[in-house]
């Protein structure tokens, strides 16, 4: 299972510092997917930062990251799905 690299983690942190917006975060998730990060590890990576945002009381960041997590998991709008199958429980 291909997991995110430290460089990819750094890129995600930089994006979250720059702006917490769905479009650039979805683009970054797609880049990680193209670089070989598989669905479950990609979900865990973004979920890790969503939990940090929740602990810090950053409601807007949580909402945006929830949108990205739904796209990674395949639970939201089919047009936004990053992977062909839904992530299982």
């Amino acid at each position: 299972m291909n997991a995110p690299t430290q460089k990819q983690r750094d890129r995600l942190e930089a994006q979250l510092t720059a702006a917490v917006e769905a479009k650039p975060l979805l683009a970054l998730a797609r880049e990680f997917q193209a670089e070989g990060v598989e669905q479950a590890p990609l979900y865990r990576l973004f979920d890790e930062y969503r939990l940090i945002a929740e602990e810090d009381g950053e409601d807007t960041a949580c909402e945006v990251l929830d949108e990205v997590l739904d796209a990674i998991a395949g639970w939201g709008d089919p047009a936004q799905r990053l992977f062909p199958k839904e992530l299982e429980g």
Side-chain angles (χ1 to χ4, degrees), residues 27-84:
L28 190 59
R30 285 188 181 95
E31 287 177 28
F32 292 171
Q33 177 191 25
E35 293 167 9
V37 179
E38 295 176 358
Q39 188 175 20
L42 185 61
Y43 185 90
R44 283 193 299 272
L45 173 66
F46 278 80
D47 191 46
E48 179 182 327
Y49 287 93
R50 194 249 180 248
L51 292 173
I52 292 168
E54 184 177 0
E55 289 173 2
D56 292 345
E58 296 176 16
D59 294 337
T60 301
C62 288
E63 289 175 20
V64 170
L65 286 163
D66 281 340
E67 185 178 335
V68 176
L69 287 165
D70 284 348
I72 293 168
W75 298 331
D77 178 2
Q80 292 290 332
R81 285 185 180 179
L82 272 68
F83 295 89

